[in-house]
Amino acid sequence: MKILLDTAHIEDIKKYNDIYDIAGVTSNPTILSREKKDFFPLIQEIRSIIPDKELHVQVTGNTCEEMLKEAKAITHAVGKETYIKVPTNEEGIKTIKQLKSSGYHVTATAIYMPQQAMLAATVGADYVAPYFNRMNNINVDSKKAIQEIAWLFEHYHCDTKILAASFKNTQQIMDAFLAGAHTVTASPELYTQMVENPMIDSAIAGFSQDWIHTYGNKKIYELI
Ligand code: G3P
């Protein structure tokens, strides 16, 4: 299981990279647009915070030719180990095939159907990114879709991994892992929500109260 941050917000990347064992950062044009910063300086700044971790950057072109040029420019700026995110339509499949034959790391994104994942895997995508919440929004059973993709990859001994994305709540993240996703990427706040709950706060307050009642304000290291 690996978790990534689906954000381009520098302060959040620094903060969450410090707290959690983040495997990397993903973004898309919508996420980048929220930061209102120039594209290359922004992805370079993100790269400088996570020099040895995964960085997934999406291309925006509509043709294979454009996407290949964008991939070249992105890897020139932030390194060849960067994952190029390519939307999985027919032009995208063609692009993924060519990028893989040139040695790029590739994430096939905008997956709404297992069929897209299957085709992306046949051309060697490193990751496929099924959109959990967006699938739900169009009445596609996201858990079932991920289960099917996971079954296909396992049954056919495929190296492609599932990087589930598009989450609106923490249960969706759990469901994606339970369905067989190897990795998820989510907005930082959702990771916080997983460990924030009034019951947790109340348990911690109870322990503190009992400690103070017996040992006063001294900490464990002061009692040795
Ligand atoms: O990075 C792609 C994916 O996370 C999209 O998420 O929230 O726009 O559905 P969302």
Side-chain angles (χ1 to χ4, degrees):
M1 279 187 301
K2 287 195 293 188
I3 58 169
L4 285 86
L5 298 173
D6 203 17
T7 183
H9 191 68
I10 295 299
E11 290 316 311
D12 278 348
I13 294 170
K14 286 181 183 163
K15 174 181 163 185
Y16 284 84
N17 187 43
D18 228 26
I19 301 170
Y20 296 98
D21 191 11
I22 297 300
V25 169
T26 55
S27 64
N28 62 33
T30 308
I31 288 171
L32 292 175
S33 72
R34 290 185 198 127
E35 303 309 311
K36 308 204 182 327
K37 291 182 177 174
D38 288 339
F39 175 75
F40 281 112
L42 178 55
I43 61 169
Q44 282 166 333
E45 196 174 357
I46 296 172
R47 173 46 88 206
S48 72
I49 303 167
I50 49 155
D52 304 318
K53 298 188 174 184
E54 292 182 15
L55 176 61
H56 299 241
V57 181
Q58 191 163 329
V59 288
T60 65
N62 292 319
T63 64
C64 176
E65 198 187 348
E66 282 170 346
M67 289 189 269
L68 293 176
K69 277 192 197 163
E70 288 177 319
K72 203 169 168 190
I74 291 167
T75 52
H76 180 72
V78 282
K80 190 80 199 254
E81 62 290 349
T82 304
Y83 287 78
I84 303 299
K85 282 178 74 182
V86 181
T88 316
N89 58 10
E90 207 156 66
E91 203 64 15
I93 298 283
K94 181 178 173 187
T95 307
I96 294 168
K97 184 177 160 194
Q98 296 201 22
L99 286 173
K100 285 311 297 176
S101 69
S102 304
Y104 285 84
H105 296 306
V106 181
T107 299
T109 193
I111 302 272
Y112 286 80
M113 293 176 293
Q115 293 92 318
Q116 288 171 282
M118 181 271 288
L119 287 174
T122 63
V123 288
D126 298 281
Y127 284 110
V128 292
Y131 279 4
F132 199 102
N133 188 66
R134 291 198 200 193
M135 280 193 220
N136 280 358
N137 290 346
I138 54 166
N139 291 324
V140 173
D141 183 339
S142 319
K143 273 183 86 171
K144 186 161 169 272
I146 292 176
Q147 275 163 359
E148 287 178 3
I149 299 168
W151 185 90
L152 282 176
F153 289 0
E154 196 178 326
H155 186 78
Y156 290 102
H157 307 292
C158 179
D159 290 335
T160 307
K161 302 283 184 229
I162 302 170
L163 168 56
S166 177
F167 296 106
K168 289 292 163 277
N169 61 60
T170 60
Q171 188 57 47
Q172 290 179 333
I173 295 176
M174 286 303 292
D175 285 344
F177 273 131
L178 290 169
H182 305 96
T183 303
V184 303
T185 186
S187 64
E189 309 78 58
L190 288 178
Y191 297 122
T192 296
Q193 284 176 25
M194 285 188 187
V195 287
E196 265 188 3
N197 163 325
M199 296 309 291
I200 302 172
D201 293 343
S202 151
I204 294 170
F207 295 138
S208 285
Q209 228 173 19
D210 291 340
W211 174 269
I212 290 166
H213 184 72
T214 312
Y215 302 103
N217 282 324
K218 292 221 180 298
K219 302 294 174 202
I220 289 176
Y221 51 80
E222 292 170 321
L223 295 176
I224 200 159

